[in-house]
Amino acid sequence: MSAPGKLWGVGLGPGDPELVTVKAARVIEAADVVAFHSARHGRSISRRIAAPYMRPGQLEEHLIYPVTTETTDHPGGYRGAIDEFYEHAAERLAEHLTAGRTVALLAAGDPLFYSSYMHMHRRLADRFETDIVPGVTSVSAASAALHMPLVEGEQVLTVLPGTMPVDELTRRLRTTDAAAIMKLGRTYPAVRQALADSGRLADAYYVERASSPDQRVQHADAVDAAEVPYFAIAVLPGPQPTTPLPSADATADRRIAAQDTTDCIGEVTVVGLGPGAPEWTTEEVRVALECATDLVGYTTYLDRVPQRPGQRRHASDNRVESERAAMALDLARRGARVTVVSSGDPGVFAMAAAVIEESTDPQWRAVPVRVLPGMTAAHAVASRVGAPLGHDYATISLSDRLKPWDTVAQRLSAVAAADMAIAVYNPASPQRTWQVGAMRDIVLRYREPSTPVVLGRDVGGPSESVRVVQLGELDPTEVDMRTLLIIGASTTTTFDSEHGARVYTSRRYGQVRDPAAGGA
């Protein structure tokens, strides 16, 4: 039995990936498992910060809060729901640690400073070896954003949560030299009231998303309370400020100026490279790749794009579509001309949907997004054997990462019963090995065992392989993530030619010609 793995609490800093420490980057890259939290929308700020330091093939544990600030019907209320979540999350990490895997649990800011990491630490540190990588806190980032010290000499800094009762918050603000008030969001009206009641409002500042491209700095009494996010902080410096505070208008002017430096910046273009062969990439896509200042995509797909001097490449794992989309939009908002790279066609189980969906967030409303089509993997595989998709067909992904398997099975049954050919994407992966067999069994309820199935692997690539087998003889062990399957309909015909097996689904429904009969 292998020795237990080690748990790392990794501080990522306040938001800027360049503020991740050298040690944190090293630990993230070396970890067997990278774990991170998010709300139910699935977009993890920690995962996005860490993305440049992760390597392909790492296991990921996405720990999704059941609630954040909303109400819940859990019998224990909000606290009961959260405690139960932390227990389950800790056991998920414990399974990896027991198996000997090293786990890096990401934490925005510092792991031991108002962080979710502490809840995992309490539940796991007595059973497994743990280590902490400290990170830059939002308090330090806010001070840097203000260009002024928080305390000097013998002054005392008090860090307060905005969730405290107004009276207690007021009392503490009256008796401290300097303060940083965390956890704002919907607490801001009460925080501003406490600042006013303590006589400190005129000296307080507001810093939103410190160190990120969306950083905003204002006087605390000038903030619209309805627009305050959770990732904001109210700062009451001890020393008398001597640095002029940049106005919101000046900050906006600098961003606009940065976006106007060239005609070739400030948008996101989502492209498809085609399935594998370089000649299957369209000229329109080539132009977008050459014009880009930044390329964003899954490492394997980016490796297919030639390196160009001065062009920045942002590679990440294949399971972080939302974070990758947000990164691309964020780069574009800061003035970059970003090309998001997909294989095949970007609108077929690829990045176009993720980018368009993310772009509905109001913060990206000024960023233009284009989608350029590419040859699909299904059409490439079909072309190698003839025309198995010559009539009606459906396209289904077997991956149950973004939709439950019950839904996949229901759709397979419906399409199989409708007697259409089926192009099957994402059939298997190292973590998903049973779905191909389950799919075969479902389709066999409606199709004959002799139904032709095309297995196309790495079509257009250096290890291309295309075979035709019968549905009843389909071996799931011969299928991996680089394979695309085409399952024929009752009208799909296979015949041998001098150039190998040929497959077609006639457009003349109900009038299928027998290849052995000859004739015109």
Side-chain angles (χ1 to χ4, degrees), residues 331-356:
L331 289 168
R333 182 172 56 182
R334 288 189 281 161
R337 189 178 185 91
V338 184
T339 296
V340 178
V341 178
S342 292
S343 180
D345 182 278
V348 181
F349 302 122
M351 283 301 298
V355 174
I356 296 298

Side-chain angles (χ1 to χ4, degrees), residues 247-259:
S247 68
D249 289 341
T251 302
D253 290 344
R254 283 198 300 273
R255 289 181 179 173
I256 293 170
Q259 292 179 353

